[in-house]
Amino acid sequence: MWRLWPAPSRWSRRIPAGAAIVLVVLGVVATAVGLDAPSDGSVVPLVWRADGVVVLDVPGAPVTAPRGPVTVPDPSPGGPGASGGAGLRAGDLVTGVSRHRLADGLGVVPRPRPGTTLLYDVVRGQATTVAVRIGRPDPYPLLMEGWGDLVFVLALAGLAVALYLRRPEEPATAPLLVLAAGLLGSTLTVTAGLPVLALATGGAQLWLFHLNAIVAYSISWGGLLAFTIAFTAPRPLPARSRRAMALAYAAPPAAMALWGALAAPLAPSALGWLGLVHGGQTAVVAAVLVTSTVWGFVGYRRNPDPLMRARMRWLVAGGAVATLLSLAGWYLPELLVAARPLPPGALGLSGLPFVAGIGVALRRHRLFDIERLANRSLVYASVVAILVAGYAAVVALLVSGLGLSQPVAAALTAAGAALALAPLRALAQSTVNRVMYGDRRDPSAALTRLGTRLQAVLLPADVLPAIVETVARSLRVPHAAIDLVDGSGAGHLATQYGVPVGEVHVEPLRYHGTLIGHLRVSARGSDDPLDPVDLGLISSLAQQVGTAVQAVRLHDDLVRSRAEVVASREDERRRLRRDLHDGLGPTLAAIRIKAGLAARDVPPGSAARPLLDEISAEAAASLTDVRRLVEALRPPALDELGVVGAIRARAAALSGAMCIEVIGAERLPALPAAVETAAYRIAVEAITNAVRHSEATHCTATVMPSDGGVEVTVRDNGRGLDPDRTAGVGIRSMRERAAEVGGAWSMRSPPGGGTHIHAFLPTSLGGDHDQADARR
């Protein structure tokens, strides 16, 4: 095959992977440096004032300031201000450390050793001084504060790595890897926290924090834009899409660099400049989220491929929900009113719908074809998430409710988690297997589902589609089909569900040992073939499906035989009418004329004269009988005017106050006699009912050829159907005439009023041998 565009180069895949590794390593190093550096126990937000920084939280300390007058704590060892950083409180505005104002510069205070006490200039309604004991950061409170963010970035990172390892040639996996790596590294750094002390002392902790929180964070959002472009672009990836991806990677970092340069002369101090930079980054992230969501929605609407639209639907929906939650709960309030309705750790939870959208696309629409790996990933991810959440909840309950110390509570909870690991994993594996593979481990459930589905089917024509849909859903496969075997042993497709994406397994369908068809089931993906357990379930289902297929075949044979009988009957009627009209009719007319001419030459008193008059009268009576028989066998107008012309002639006779319009080609393709008669009778009966009962002012009858048949439609603008009125002879007659030729008939009242009658009459059953006569 010719490739319209060159394939992505190896370097285009390696560069994003290398960048992702660098981003993760950078985040890990920054986190390690932050946890190893001295700390005052505080955590500051990323939006700062020019004269100081507000303490966002002091993990492990009360979040509400005590009432009463503010006093300067005793800075001496053992005093109230020298107790492990308890001197700072959430909401404090710190303006200086060790008599150095933060507005005058960052990184001017010498790095203290753990155990040292420093004086902080704080505003708590009024300016005061607080003594703070310097120590080491406690990772546990920080982890509890940011667990929601960590759950999101770890889930996204695991999914991105799995996709890239299994499908590195897919253009969308590389930018997704960059997005996940940037968010993971920056989130680890932000979760470790930035204390006020780091602003005063500067050094590696401060610049590594901002290298992750600004640079790496911006690069990750460029990966989101590139992922959206790659995922919505056609395959193979066009050159314009690759250029757009390159611009998308660079857009957020370039915007941040430009904003940083513009903000430098506007800020009165380095502290104010960092505050402006972080505020601009919030705006850039909000713009990226909106742009990515709009781009994905437009790409979904423009994509003509139904399979790609099905894959994109869940991904775009999950991304849109995540965008709305993060904008409403974090970014817009921070930009507009400098407030955050969501707690810091909850921001990551707003991104989980995006990960869930990818997960649903993986399960339902075989996104990237990594179902087997996704099974294991979902199992371990769910087990880890449940254990982490349960561990945190139980430890908090034991500490707050029973008063146990944190180490003892953690040890007891860890022992319980170890005991619950095996049953929890088994439960998760069973649940994920049912979600991804359906009832393959429970054949009785699959058979029950099939039986229940068949009992709910009302029409025989819906049996086979219901079977393939139930089989596909029971096994969670993308495609199932049934082929029927005819008398010659050749098979033909009867119905199918979905599109095959992998190797197709063919299971024979038998009834009392006779092969009647085949059940075809596709694998779940190119790298996820059907297991022996799947094949065993398919074999069990095939035994039950064979009986249902045989019943459908018998019904179809009955309908076909009935249609052939009706077609043969109408063909015979048309032949008899032709013989009577063209043969016996003219013969009787000739006998009558000859008898009349002979009577003229016979004298009035002759005995032969009455006999000749009697012959002439009998011939005239017989000719009348022949004409009546001809009209009863088949409407003469059908042969004289055609189907549309005959309906139009009858409509002209019925029209009065109602305007009747007949639409259709004057010469339809040659039709079997039974189809011609049925179309004429149904249309005339529908028009007659409209004239008599609808109280309509306008009626339209349409006769048009369709694929494999003829469609007859009659509409009026009358009062519609009366739900309390039972079907009369005319309605039953129309339904029976359509059924006789194997067609379908329906009648309904549209919401706007009136009555809509539609019939489809196939031309493939019966009467084919007479079409040559119809052309003559």
Side-chain angles (χ1 to χ4, degrees):
M1 278 182 72
W2 290 93
R3 296 184 61 90
L4 299 179
W5 304 98
S9 65
R10 182 177 302 177
W11 289 106
S12 66
R13 298 193 297 267
R14 290 183 175 179
I15 291 177
I21 295 174
V22 171
L23 292 174
V24 173
V25 171
L26 187 64
V28 172
V29 171
T31 302
V33 171
L35 294 177
D36 186 61
S39 174
D40 51 27
S42 66
V43 175
V44 299
L46 299 183
V47 179
W48 304 328
R49 297 168 47 166
D51 57 343
V53 59
V54 177
V55 176
L56 177 65
D57 193 10
V58 182
V63 296
T64 58
R67 299 178 181 178
V70 178
T71 60
V72 179
D74 182 8
S76 61
S83 56
L88 292 178
R89 303 169 184 165
D92 286 348
L93 173 62
V94 181
T95 58
V97 177
S98 293
R99 306 305 180 185
H100 292 278
R101 296 177 65 247
L102 295 178
D104 294 339
L106 303 179
V108 297
V109 176
R111 182 171 177 173
R113 294 182 178 181
T116 306
T117 300
L118 299 181
L119 295 179
Y120 280 54
D121 298 326
V122 177
V123 176
R124 295 177 179 172
Q126 62 182 6
T128 185
T129 302
V130 176
V132 179
R133 173 74 61 88
I134 305 302
R136 295 289 185 185
D138 186 0
Y140 183 79
L142 297 173
L143 179 64
M144 293 297 99
E145 289 285 337
W147 73 270
D149 297 339
L150 294 176
V151 167
F152 165 65
V153 296
L154 290 175
L156 182 62
L159 186 61
V161 171
L163 288 172
Y164 184 80
L165 293 178
R166 295 300 293 265
R167 289 292 180 268
E169 72 281 356
E170 168 60 39
T173 58
L176 183 64
L177 186 66
V178 173
L179 168 65
L183 291 181
L184 177 61
S186 59
T187 301
L188 289 175
T189 304
V190 173
T191 301
L194 183 68
V196 177
L197 181 63
L199 298 175
T201 58
Q205 182 182 9
L206 183 62
W207 67 261
L208 278 175
F209 180 90
H210 288 94
L211 188 62
N212 281 275
I214 296 176
V215 179
Y217 199 56
S218 301
I219 293 175
S220 67
W221 292 113
L224 176 63
L225 286 176
F227 169 77
T228 306
I229 295 172
F231 187 76
T232 57
R235 299 294 186 269
L237 197 67
R240 62 179 181 274
S241 297
R242 294 199 296 273
R243 290 192 294 267
M245 289 176 60
L247 293 176
Y249 276 122
M256 287 303 303
L258 179 61
W259 171 243
L262 294 176
L266 301 177
S269 63
L271 188 65
W273 179 78
L274 285 177
L276 289 176
V277 170
H278 285 296
Q281 186 181 56
T282 302
V284 169
V285 173
V288 168
L289 288 173
V290 173
T291 302
S292 180
T293 302
V294 173
W295 189 294
F297 180 75
V298 172
Y300 165 75
R301 294 295 300 272
R302 290 182 176 179
N303 198 307
D305 186 3
L307 181 59
M308 280 301 300
R309 285 174 62 89
R311 291 177 173 179
M312 294 168 60
R313 184 180 299 117
W314 288 99
L315 197 59
V316 172
V321 172
T323 298
L324 291 176
L325 291 177
S326 58
L327 289 178
W330 188 273
Y331 295 108
L332 290 183
E334 183 175 303
L335 286 173
L336 299 178
V337 296
R340 298 169 178 173
L342 292 178
L347 175 62
L349 298 180
S350 65
L352 288 180
F354 175 69
V355 181
I358 300 179
V360 174
L362 283 171
R363 183 179 68 84
R364 298 191 60 179
H365 304 292
R366 306 308 189 263
L367 178 64
F368 303 134
D369 297 328
I370 62 162
E371 286 71 27
R372 189 178 295 274
L373 180 61
N375 176 276
R376 301 187 180 97
S377 301
L378 288 174
V379 170
Y380 293 122
S382 59
V383 171
V384 170
I386 294 174
L387 286 179
V388 169
Y391 179 86
V394 173
V395 168
L397 180 62
L398 293 177
V399 172
S400 61
L402 301 180
L404 298 180
S405 64
Q406 188 171 349
V408 174
L412 292 177
T413 307
L419 295 176
L421 177 60
L424 183 60
R425 183 192 178 282
L427 178 61
Q429 184 69 65
S430 175
T431 303
V432 171
N433 282 343
R434 182 170 294 276
V435 170
M436 296 193 66
Y437 300 122
D439 300 321
R440 73 177 186 179
R441 295 285 182 181
D442 190 2
S444 61
L447 294 174
T448 302
R449 185 196 303 268
L450 179 61
T452 303
R453 184 71 175 89
L454 292 178
Q455 288 179 0
V457 175
L458 298 178
L459 299 177
D462 297 334
V463 171
L464 296 186
I467 289 174
V468 295
E469 180 181 357
T470 304
V471 170
R473 292 185 179 276
S474 297
L475 288 166
R476 299 294 192 272
V477 295
H479 171 76
I482 290 179
D483 297 330
L484 296 182
V485 175
D486 55 22
S488 62
H492 61 278
L493 178 65
T495 187
Q496 64 178 346
Y497 174 85
V499 179
V501 296
E503 183 180 356
V504 177
H505 172 74
V506 180
E507 186 74 21
L509 300 176
R510 302 182 183 275
Y511 182 75
H512 290 305
T514 303
L515 181 65
I516 59 175
H518 297 94
L519 174 63
R520 293 188 286 112
V521 180
S522 169
R524 297 180 181 89
S526 57
D527 59 350
D528 191 9
L530 296 175
D531 291 339
V533 179
D534 296 314
L535 301 181
L537 179 56
I538 293 174
S539 178
S540 300
L541 291 174
Q543 298 177 11
Q544 307 301 321
V545 171
T547 303
V549 170
Q550 179 64 13
V552 172
R553 290 187 61 186
L554 293 177
H555 175 269
D556 292 342
D557 291 343
L558 179 61
V559 172
R560 186 179 300 106
S561 299
R562 182 182 182 185
E564 290 177 353
V565 169
V566 172
S568 299
R569 182 193 67 191
E570 293 299 327
D571 290 343
E572 188 64 19
R573 284 184 173 184
R574 182 159 63 180
R575 187 186 65 79
L576 289 174
R577 180 188 177 278
R578 185 184 301 119
D579 292 342
L580 292 175
H581 183 273
D582 300 339
L584 184 57
T587 300
L588 292 175
I591 292 174
R592 178 187 177 188
I593 294 173
K594 291 178 181 180
L597 293 176
R600 294 180 184 178
D601 297 335
V602 175
S606 173
R609 182 67 178 266
L611 295 175
L612 292 174
D613 291 339
E614 185 177 350
I615 292 172
S616 180
E618 290 179 356
S622 299
L623 186 59
T624 302
D625 293 339
V626 169
R627 289 173 179 171
R628 186 170 62 252
L629 288 174
V630 167
E631 293 179 359
L633 287 172
R634 177 178 168 84
L638 285 177
D639 293 330
E640 299 169 2
L641 304 175
V643 177
V644 177
I647 296 173
R648 187 174 288 122
R650 186 57 183 164
L654 293 172
S655 63
M658 177 189 293
C659 175
I660 303 176
E661 181 182 6
V662 180
I663 301 174
E666 293 297 332
R667 292 292 181 183
L668 292 172
L671 303 174
V675 175
E676 286 184 338
T677 304
Y680 173 79
R681 297 294 189 191
I682 291 174
V684 170
E685 185 63 37
I687 294 173
T688 303
N689 285 345
V691 172
R692 292 178 179 177
H693 309 296
S694 68
E695 300 179 2
T697 60
H698 187 271
C699 178
T700 302
T702 305
V703 181
M704 288 294 178
S706 181
D707 185 16
V710 175
E711 292 189 10
V712 179
T713 305
V714 179
R715 299 183 179 89
D716 64 63
N717 61 350
R719 61 183 181 181
L721 298 175
D722 185 359
D724 298 329
R725 183 179 178 182
T726 59
V729 176
I731 294 178
R732 290 197 298 269
S733 174
M734 288 187 285
R735 183 184 292 112
E736 290 173 357
R737 288 187 180 277
E740 283 181 344
V741 295
W745 179 90
S746 64
M747 180 173 65
R748 62 184 178 90
S749 289
T755 304
H756 181 187
I757 295 177
H758 177 265
F760 173 77
L761 310 175
T763 58
S764 59
L765 298 179
D768 294 339
H769 62 279
D770 198 49
Q771 291 187 15
D773 297 335
R775 298 187 183 97
R776 288 197 290 243

